[in-house]
Amino acid sequence: MSFSENWHTLLEAAEERSPEATLITPLSHTQFRITDTQEYRVIIEILDSDESQPLQRDQFETLYRRVQDAGGGFELDRLPPDAEPYAAVLTLHPQFEIDEDAGILVETDAPTATQVIGEAPTETDDRTEPDVGVYADALLLIDELERHDPTSMDTLDTETLIDLYTLLSDVQRGANNLRKDIADTLLDRVHHDQPVHAQYGSVQRTSRRSKSLKDDTEVLAALEDAGIDQDRVLGVDPDKVEDALDVTDLHEQDVYDIDERAYVRKADVNEDVKETRLQGLKDRLAATESEEADVLRSEIEDLEDRIDELTSFRTGSEVQ
């Protein structure tokens, strides 16, 4: 296929996009939108600066030729800074794709992903219920927040506050578990110290350093070799202090500075009420005739089957 044919395919793909569709450049992650398509150029607007920039047809052709000449993919690091938008727009073509992990722009025989972010889902997108524990609790929490205004705490009764606290605790636990799983996966994909951006935010690979002392004998021997008197590094062992308190008349206040603070913790979860509330949501949705309500109704029916597993709670006596 000639470049002329590819160019018109690219223009058609750009024209079919929503005016609000946002594209992102592959290296600097600058966000922009296409504001106009013309026979020999594409006009874009950089979102952060509201600056308009024309992308010329002949420059697209140059990039197209370089991708073809590269064979295994054109290395993005070879792009001039002002050429990044060309690579992002080119991915609107169904056979060009950016592989950020490999750092290349490639041409394929199959339809590919684009650099478009933040585009609203189409009506044909299917909603699916994720098989994660936080989903049911999040649905209940959203319903509770819609019925009670959490910005006016003083107006809420005690039972409502307890319900909100319990659901927030369950959501936090489930979200933290899911967050850890996602972070473990991202570690294999984020390889540099530079932030990697997405629609709602960015992440950056970093490291945390921790240390623990070696065996006492080894530490003292190393310090002695360095001319450090061991008396200078010997201190109070907290474990031995606790043992001493058990066999003497000393009180904690004699050896500790104590800061005691009151706090609230979740003591129990009423699974029956959660299940009943989910049923209530289902009944309420039954009175609503819409495609979205039908989808939510189906999701809640599935949630009911899994509610015991998703909201399980064990008391301290059961754990021991």
Side-chain angles (χ1 to χ4, degrees), residues 148-168:
H148 304 286
D149 183 5
T151 63
S152 302
M153 295 290 183
D154 293 340
T155 65
L156 301 180
D157 57 50
T158 301
E159 289 76 10
T160 298
L161 291 172
I162 292 173
D163 287 341
L164 285 170
Y165 185 89
T166 300
L167 290 172
L168 285 166

Side-chain angles (χ1 to χ4, degrees), residues 25-36:
T25 60
L27 298 178
S28 63
H29 299 99
T30 300
Q31 297 184 21
F32 65 93
R33 288 176 181 156
I34 296 175
T35 58
D36 192 16

